[in-house]
Amino acid sequence: MEQPVTAGRATRSYGAEPEALEALVGASLTARVTLDEHGVVTGWNAGAERLLGYPAQQVTGRRAADLLAEPIPVRGGLPTLADLPRWNGDVALRHRDGRKLTVGIIAHHRPPGADGPAWLVVSALTDRQPPAGLDESLVSWSFAQSPCCALAIYDTRLRLRRANADMERATALTEKEMRGLRVSEISGGEAGRRAEHDMARVLRTGEPEYEENYLRAPGESHEHAWSVFLSALRDHEGTIRGVCLSAHDMTEQFWARKRLQLIAEAGRRIGSTLDVTRTAQELADVTVPALADFVSVDLLAALDDTAEPPERAVPVDGPLLLRRAALRSVTPGAPESAVPAGTVDAYPAGSMPFESLRTGRPALHETTDPAFAAWLARDPARAARVRAFGIHSAMTVPLAARGTTLGVAFFVRHRNQEPFRHDDLVLAGELVARAAVSIDNARRYTRERATAVTLQRSLLPRRLPRQAAVEVASRYLPADGHAGVGGDWFDVIPLSGARVALVVGDVVGHGLVASATMGRLRTAVRTLADIDLPCDELMTHLDDLVARLNTEEDPEEDTRERGAGGSATGPAGPTGDVGATCLYAVYDPVTRHCCFAGAGHPVPAVVSPGGGVELVGLPTAPPLGVGGLPYESTEVVVPEGSLLALYTNGLVETPDHDLDTGVGRLREALGRPAASLDALCDTVLADLLPPRPADDVALLIARTRALDARQVATWAVPADPSAVAQTRKDVVAQMERWGLSDAVFVTELVVSELVTNAIRHAEPPVQLRLIHDTNLICEVSDGGSTAPHLRRARTYDEGGRGLLLVAQLTERWGTRQSSTGKTIWAEQSLTPA
C-alpha cells in the first residue's frame, strides 16, 4: 500500500501514480544501478541490462568495480567518494561481450541511516534519439509560451525580432505588430526610453543590465511593476548578435512591499504627540496619496462633552453625530469635503459611516452601490461633490480601541482610477487600528491632564490675599507636552505685624499624584506659617512632613502595583519617594528685613529700585524629604520699592539651555523697565520660555513697601502694675494723633489686658508696639516663653476673661516666639462693619 508523501504543509497520496509515471517516462531509457556502502550491487534495471548486457540476476550481489574496464580517474585533491553527496564523470565499463564502453554517469550518495540504497548510479542511453528538429522546436515553443516572464529579442539595431505570449499580453500588441519597432516605440513614455538606453549599453559593453519600471497596459486600470533584465545574445564565436529582454511581473510583491513601507511609516509618524486632533491628522497625512486621494477622520461628537464615551456609541435609529477631526486631499484645500474640519455633521441610518460603526466592521463601497446611491440621494451637497470630482470608490473603517468606539475613517478615490480592493481594506484597517490606539491614548491623557490641571488650579490661590507689605503679581503655566501637569505652586500668606510670607515650591513628578502632594505641602506651609515659625524651623518641619509621606505607602496597594518585582507606578505616576523643593521668604515692612530659607530650590532674585539685579546667596540645603542636614536662613535688608522674584526651575531650565544660561536671561528680563508687575511677569515668560514649555512654571514677583516711622509707635513698659494706667494714656494720645478716635475704646481695653498679663505672668522686658496700617495692630512683647491660652472662666472666678475678651473685640489675635521671648498680638479692623 502506498504511503502519503508530505512536502511542506501539503500532504498528497500518490496512489497508483508511480506506475503511470514509469510508463510515461520509459524507465528503460535510463540505466539505473543501486549500490550499498561497500560498493555491492543491490539493484539493476532493464536499462542497465540494455547498456552492458548483463541480466539482473548475474550482477546483483557482485562488486560494481568488477564491471570497470579501467580504474575511475581521480582528479587531484578529490575527497573520497564516501565523502561526496554526488559524483559525475566518464567511466570505462566492460560489456558482457567484452567490448569497452565509455559511459557518462551521475552517482548520488545518500547519507548514512537514510532509507534505501547508499548509492544510486544513473546513465542515459543514447540509442533513442528524438525526432529530427524536435529540440529546436521545443526551444522555440518554450520561448513563445514561457509562462514565467515576458520575453523579447532585439537585434543590434534594437529592433524587436521575437516576443513571447506574456510580452504580447503586457503590451497589448501581437508579435507581428511589434516586429521591427524599437522598445521606446512599443511602450512609449520614460520607461521605454530608459530601457532603450540600457539596451544600447548592453550592446556596447556586453554586461547585463537590471532595472525596475511601472507600466499600465491599454485597457488595464492599474500599473504593473516589472523587474527587467537585459542581456547580450552571442553566437558561437562570442560576437553579440542581439539583446534579450526578460521582464518579470512583480506587481504583487511590489504592492506588498509598499504596504509594509506604509505600515512602517505609519508606526513612525502616527501618535507622535498626545493630542487627539494631531493624531487624527497624522493618520490622514500618512494615507494620502499613498492609499487614498481623500481621507477624513471623524470622531464621536459625544467625546467632546463626556469623560467617557457613551455605552451605545451608535444610536439605534440615528442620526449619528460625528466631528470632523482631520482631513487630507491630493487636491489643495480639500474641496471634496462636504464637512469642514472641526464641524459636527449628522449621519442618518443607512449611511456608510453609520453602518460601518453599527456593525463594527470596515467596508468597501462603490458609488453605484444601492445603499451608497440612496445616501447620496438624501444629501445633495455630498452628491454634487461626488459627481464633480468623479469619486468612484470609498472605504469606511471604524476607529475603535480597547473596546471603545471612537469614530470612523473615510477613504475616497477619484484621481486614482483603480477601485479599492480587499487588500486595500485590510491595509486601511491596520493603519486605522494603530491610529485608534494612539487617539485613545491621547484622549485618556487629555482627560487625566484636564483633571490634574483642575485639581492643581483648585489648590493654588484663586486670588492673592489683601496685605500691605508687598504688591504681588504671579503666573502659573502647566507643562504642555508628554510630561503632564506637575506639582509647582506659589502662595502669599499674611503674617502678624503687617509681615507677609512668600512661598514657591515644586513637587517632583507629574500628574495627579504630584498635584495632590502639592496640595498637602501647601496646606502644611500655611499651617506652619500661621503659628509664626521662623523660616529655618518651618523648613525643618516641612522636611519632616515629606519624610513621613514617603513612609505612608499602603503595603497592599504597593504589592498590587509592583506585581512580581516591578516598580510602584500607577496611572498617574510613582506612588512613593515623594520629593520637593521649596523657597520660603518673610518680609517685614516695618524693619524692611526679608528672611529667606530654601530646600534645594533655585535662589531668589532681588531687583533694587535702580534696576540692579542680584541673586540672594542662600546656604546649600537638600530638597525636602532627604533629611540629615539642617536648614539655615539668610536675612537681607530690602529697600522700599525693590522687587523680589521667586520662581521654579521650569522657568530657567529648558531643553534649549542650562540653569546658568536661564538665570542669566532671567536677570536680564527682570532688569528691564516694565509698566506694571503683570507686564513684567509676561516679559519674563516670553523671554525665557518656548511656546510649549516642557515643565510647569510658577513665578511670583513682589514689590516691597515700607511703613513710615510715623505709622509705628513703641513704648517700653516697666514691670510694675501701676505702669498700666500711664500706658493707656499714652495709647489714647497716640490714637488721637492718628485720628482714630472711634477705635480708642477697644484699643485701650486690648492694651490694658495684654500689658497687664505680661506684667503679671511673664518676664521683663515688656514692650508695647502699635502699627497703624490698613488695620490697627497691637503687639506686646515680653521675655517669657510660655504662650497664653484661651480658657472659659467659671462664674465666681476673678480672672481668666481678659484674653477671651480680646479675642471677641479684635479681628484676629495670636502669638509668636522669638529668640528673646514671645509677642502677643491682636489686630482690629479700622473699617466700620
Side-chain angles (χ1 to χ4, degrees):
M1 183 176 180
E2 293 287 345
Q3 295 296 324
V5 178
T6 301
R9 290 180 297 177
T11 301
R12 183 178 180 186
S13 178
Y14 288 93
E17 191 172 328
E19 288 78 2
L21 179 62
E22 289 293 329
L24 173 66
V25 301
S28 62
L29 296 180
T30 304
R32 295 167 59 93
V33 179
T34 58
L35 312 174
D36 63 13
E37 284 289 354
H38 304 290
V40 176
V41 177
T42 58
W44 188 270
N45 76 338
E49 182 176 352
R50 290 182 57 200
L51 178 64
L52 296 182
Y54 294 101
Q57 60 271 22
Q58 290 186 6
V59 180
T60 303
R62 294 176 54 186
R63 295 174 62 251
D66 296 342
L67 301 175
L68 295 176
E70 56 188 48
I72 298 175
V74 179
R75 294 182 293 273
L78 185 69
T80 62
L81 293 179
D83 296 330
L84 292 176
R86 191 187 71 187
W87 183 87
N88 65 287
D90 293 338
V91 297
L93 299 176
R94 185 69 64 187
H95 194 273
R96 183 180 181 185
D97 60 11
R99 290 180 292 116
K100 184 174 77 169
L101 301 175
T102 301
V103 178
I105 69 169
I106 299 177
H108 299 277
H109 188 197
R110 300 184 179 182
D115 295 336
W119 287 91
L120 170 64
V121 182
V122 296
S123 178
L125 300 179
T126 59
D127 58 345
R128 293 288 301 273
Q129 295 295 334
L134 178 60
D135 289 348
E136 290 74 14
S137 297
L138 288 173
V139 172
S140 177
W141 296 336
S142 68
F143 172 84
Q145 303 171 26
S146 173
C148 62
C149 62
L151 294 172
I153 295 176
Y154 295 81
D155 60 21
T156 54
R157 295 289 186 177
L158 301 184
R159 305 288 175 168
L160 185 136
R161 309 312 306 169
R162 295 292 307 274
N164 73 345
D166 267 10
M167 182 61 75
E168 291 178 330
R169 283 191 292 270
T171 59
L173 296 169
T174 65
E175 181 186 76
K176 181 180 179 181
E177 292 168 332
M178 293 186 288
R179 187 176 291 122
L181 297 177
R182 295 159 49 187
V183 63
S184 60
E185 297 168 338
I186 295 170
S187 62
E190 181 60 30
R193 289 189 291 272
R194 189 169 60 249
E196 198 166 80
H197 282 290
D198 291 341
M199 293 169 69
R201 190 179 301 111
V202 171
L203 287 178
R204 186 174 65 253
T205 65
E207 297 295 327
E209 293 285 336
Y210 170 79
E211 68 171 18
E212 292 184 3
N213 59 40
Y214 311 95
L215 299 172
R216 177 184 289 124
E220 290 191 335
S221 61
H222 65 279
E223 287 185 337
H224 285 261
W226 295 97
S227 176
V228 181
F229 293 88
L230 301 169
S231 57
L233 297 176
R234 291 180 170 86
D235 59 16
H236 295 296
E237 287 75 27
T239 303
I240 297 177
R241 297 296 187 181
V243 178
C244 177
L245 183 153
S246 61
H248 295 262
D249 190 347
M250 308 293 290
T251 304
E252 290 301 323
Q253 295 89 329
F254 169 78
W255 286 112
R257 187 167 67 247
K258 292 284 287 185
R259 285 192 288 269
L260 289 175
Q261 290 173 348
L262 185 56
I263 291 174
E265 180 73 2
R268 184 180 66 84
R269 292 176 56 184
I270 297 177
S272 61
T273 64
L274 286 172
D275 182 87
V276 172
T277 302
R278 179 59 191 159
T279 304
Q281 188 62 52
E282 287 167 348
L283 171 62
D285 292 344
V286 165
T287 51
V288 174
L291 180 60
D293 298 326
F294 171 80
V295 171
S296 66
V297 181
D298 299 336
L299 302 180
L300 295 175
L303 295 177
D304 298 341
D305 306 320
T306 59
E308 285 291 341
E311 275 187 39
R312 183 181 293 276
V314 182
V316 177
D317 300 323
L320 174 65
L321 298 181
L322 296 174
R323 181 181 297 279
R324 181 137 299 175
L327 54 86
R328 181 68 183 270
S329 172
V330 294
T331 308
E336 307 96 320
S337 179
V339 181
T343 304
V344 175
D345 194 20
Y347 293 85
S351 62
M352 302 301 102
F354 184 96
E355 293 302 317
S356 188
L357 282 181
R358 184 183 64 81
T359 61
R361 293 191 298 270
L364 288 171
H365 311 282
E366 302 288 339
T367 53
T368 55
D369 294 344
F372 206 149
W375 176 34
L376 294 179
R378 289 181 287 172
D379 193 336
R382 189 171 271 109
R385 283 173 169 80
V386 170
R387 290 191 299 269
F389 292 94
I391 295 173
H392 58 83
S393 183
M395 296 187 297
T396 51
V397 183
L399 278 156
R402 304 180 180 94
T404 300
T405 300
L406 303 172
V408 64
F410 199 62
F411 299 83
V412 168
R413 277 184 180 173
H414 55 81
R415 182 176 296 179
N416 186 343
Q417 295 304 310
E418 183 179 0
F420 287 120
R421 298 181 298 173
H422 179 72
D423 288 347
D424 298 318
L425 188 64
V426 173
L427 176 60
E430 174 69 20
L431 299 176
V432 170
R434 289 170 177 259
V437 172
S438 297
I439 289 175
D440 190 51
N441 288 341
R443 181 185 65 83
R444 292 169 182 266
Y445 165 77
T446 301
R447 184 186 63 198
E448 180 178 320
R449 184 177 184 277
T451 302
V453 169
T454 302
L455 173 62
Q456 188 168 33
R457 291 196 182 278
S458 69
L459 296 174
L460 291 173
R462 296 186 180 182
R463 57 180 179 271
L464 299 178
R466 288 172 35 183
Q467 40 76 41
V470 292
E471 176 192 358
V472 179
S474 62
R475 292 292 184 273
Y476 169 73
L477 293 180
D480 190 359
H482 294 281
V485 178
D488 292 18
W489 90 92
F490 63 90
D491 211 346
V492 177
I493 308 171
L495 301 178
S496 64
R499 297 170 305 140
V500 65
L502 306 175
V503 190
V504 169
D506 184 2
V507 175
V508 175
H510 297 86
L512 291 174
V513 171
S515 296
T517 303
M518 176 271 286
R520 300 174 75 175
L521 293 184
R522 178 173 178 259
T523 301
V525 171
R526 293 186 71 88
T527 302
L528 295 172
D530 190 58
I531 60 177
D532 264 325
L533 285 179
C535 296
D536 50 355
E537 289 188 28
L538 182 143
M539 204 62 65
T540 300
H541 283 283
L542 201 60
D543 178 65
D544 292 339
L545 171 64
V546 174
R548 286 196 300 272
L549 290 178
N550 284 329
T551 64
E552 289 180 359
E553 198 170 340
D554 181 6
E556 294 183 4
E557 180 181 355
D558 179 60
T559 302
R560 289 192 300 270
E561 294 184 353
R562 290 180 186 271
S567 61
T569 58
T575 57
D577 297 333
V578 175
T581 64
C582 186
L583 180 66
Y584 184 76
V586 174
Y587 173 68
D588 188 342
V590 176
T591 64
R592 299 189 302 280
H593 284 201
C594 189
C595 176
F596 296 94
H601 201 83
V603 296
V606 177
V607 184
S608 67
V613 182
E614 298 294 336
L615 299 178
V616 179
L618 298 182
T620 302
L624 299 172
V626 175
L629 292 175
Y631 291 94
E632 301 178 34
S633 60
T634 297
E635 190 167 294
V636 297
V637 177
V638 181
E640 182 180 5
S642 298
L643 299 182
L644 305 177
L646 287 69
Y647 51 92
T648 56
N649 65 338
L651 180 66
V652 292
E653 286 186 284
T654 71
D656 299 332
H657 54 72
D658 58 14
L659 176 62
D660 292 338
T661 303
V663 170
R665 293 174 60 180
L666 173 63
R667 296 179 65 173
E668 292 177 6
L670 290 173
R672 289 199 290 270
S676 64
L677 292 187
D678 283 320
L680 181 59
C681 287
D682 294 337
T683 299
V684 170
L685 297 183
D687 287 356
L688 271 72
L689 294 179
R692 301 168 67 92
D695 195 6
D696 283 18
V697 174
L699 173 64
L700 184 64
I701 299 180
R703 177 179 284 118
T704 62
R705 296 167 176 163
L707 294 181
D708 189 271
R710 291 170 296 182
Q711 295 177 265
V712 181
T714 305
W715 297 273
V717 180
D720 185 346
S722 62
V724 175
Q726 183 59 41
T727 302
R728 286 199 299 268
K729 294 180 182 179
D730 295 338
V731 167
V732 171
Q734 183 63 50
M735 296 288 288
E736 296 291 344
R737 286 192 292 272
W738 282 340
L740 301 178
S741 301
D742 292 342
V744 167
F745 176 75
V746 172
T747 305
E748 186 178 9
L749 182 58
V750 169
V751 167
S752 177
E753 290 295 337
L754 295 183
V755 170
T756 301
N757 284 343
I759 294 174
R760 285 183 178 180
H761 306 295
E763 299 176 6
V766 178
Q767 183 186 70
L768 169 65
R769 184 171 73 166
L770 293 182
I771 302 174
H772 176 204
D773 191 25
T774 54
N775 290 346
L776 181 65
I777 302 169
C778 174
E779 296 182 341
V780 176
S781 302
D782 59 57
S785 59
T786 303
H789 298 281
L790 284 176
R791 66 184 182 88
R792 184 179 298 277
R794 291 186 294 272
T795 303
Y796 299 104
D797 286 350
E798 295 183 359
R801 296 176 178 83
L803 199 55
L804 179 61
L805 186 61
V806 170
Q808 293 295 322
L809 293 176
T810 59
E811 192 170 277
R812 61 192 186 112
W813 74 279
T815 178
R816 65 175 181 266
Q817 300 289 333
S818 67
S819 58
T820 59
K822 68 177 181 297
T823 298
I824 310 298
W825 56 270
E827 184 174 327
Q828 55 180 307
S829 174
L830 299 178
T831 303

